[in-house]
Amino acid sequence: MAARELRVAIPPGATGFDAEARGANGFLQRLCYARLLSYPPKPRSDGDPLGDVPNLEGVLAEGWEASEDGTVYTVRLRRGVRSAFGNEFTADDVAWGWERAFGLRDVGKWVAIIGSVTDPANVVVRDSHTVEFRLRAPNPTLLQQLTRMTPVIHDSVAAREHATDADPWATDWLTRTPAGFGGYHLESLTPWDEAVFAANPGAPVAPAIDRIRVRFVAGARERRRLLEAGEVDILPDIGPGEVASLRSAEGVRVAHAPSGAHVLLAMNCRQEPFTSRAVRQAICYAVPYERILSEVYLDTAEPWRSPLPMGTPMASDEGWPYHHDPERARSLLREAGLPDGFETDLFVDVGAADHVASAHLIVAALAEVGIRVELELLDSTTHWAGARYFRPYPMLIYSDHHQVPDPYYGLVHDYSPSRLGLINVGNYANDRVVELTAEVERTPDPSERERLVREAQRLITEDAPNAYLSQPGFLAAMTEDLEGFYWPPDRGLVAERLSFRGP
């Protein structure tokens, strides 16, 4: 009897495999690449396991230790791991991946710097299976960064064979050809149709399922039909509106868990009238949070009551003041010298249905306190590029998902006024928060680190640069005979852990 393959349905889109290049597809890439560390599954009494934050287990690494002063981490690598090209995994592959990330100056370099590795020369090959990371500060976040897919660990022997003078990092080849040490390797790819992957016998974790067939299916209704008909085994990402019908489908189960995903209403702290803290606080009191959770997310999202996503170690909702209180919002507007309110624009990604639905509720609620809002719907590319790089919008709805649930990562990622603040989409700046963030980086003591993080959260809460709308849950649907499923913090499918019950 032929081995059963895993059949997956996802929306069509980008099909690139290079995480350091535009057009990468994170779902496909995770099938083919392994990372040094991961969060092991932690059982839950009320659902599928979640990644056990902040505990770690080795994947390509088999052990690690820090120097006494916390500025050098030595990682021992697993032996006997091979790529689908037959090359053995070594420390040279790790070093080349980090060198490449700095050379390309994209997300991998950002990840490295958040881990306090500021130069590729600080990733040192000690021997064939030992690598040393030298940090600028005793930053315990480094180990969390090693759970990321970036900097990517490629089969550097295979990749270098396809490098050229014009393309020294083999970006063109790696975009089309995955060259990792993960559980699977690519057999065939037809964009907007399907991709087929076969198990990599040299992977650090031997997959239980030999083949994966990924079907690109444009419509959510058709994806549901395929699952209900038994023609696919898993939909790894579904929307809130799909939950009810899938829960009632025979032979199908829905996995739902709290997540680090988060949606915010950002106010541009450099544009009037949002330069006023009282105005920003007024909007935080005007937002109809409960209606957004119940009417938009159909109770599949959690409230978000901290500048750090709930579930992040050291995130605290202690003393959180904001809730829907129109009278308090009006009082703050009077305090800001705007008793009659004001006019502004709210920019939203038209491709994000939950953002658009939330925006309509927000516009109506702000009108009740005298803030007259024009809703501006942008195409996804324009909205994303403007938010990330240019930040011209007076107000916008934005979402993200922290792949590393760590407070230092969150403070830099969301509130740094420098280029490291990737999701500081409202141009927030507070010098004391910057100082505290730097102190967190160089403070390994957990209790002192928590004190610093708590102070930073308190200041950000008072400044109110954002209204925190929701934390949408993880949602997936699959056949009842699929087991081994769990939710890592980056919400990626850990395919090598999946198996089927029965014959």
Side-chain angles (χ1 to χ4, degrees), residues 170 220 269 308 413:
C269 299
L308 297 173
H413 190 267

Side-chain angles (χ1 to χ4, degrees), residues 280-335:
R280 300 193 301 267
Q281 290 176 341
I283 288 176
C284 288
Y285 279 109
V287 168
Y289 303 99
E290 293 301 324
R291 288 191 65 189
I292 290 171
L293 293 173
S294 62
E295 296 178 26
V296 176
Y297 293 99
L298 306 177
D299 298 318
T300 64
E302 301 292 326
W304 180 12
R305 301 190 180 105
S306 166
L308 297 173
M310 308 307 293
T312 304
M314 303 180 192
S316 173
D317 61 356
E318 183 179 351
W320 185 254
Y322 303 114
H323 57 280
H324 181 54
D325 186 344
E327 188 51 47
R328 178 64 175 143
R330 295 186 190 98
S331 174
L332 284 161
L333 288 173
R334 290 192 294 270
E335 178 184 320

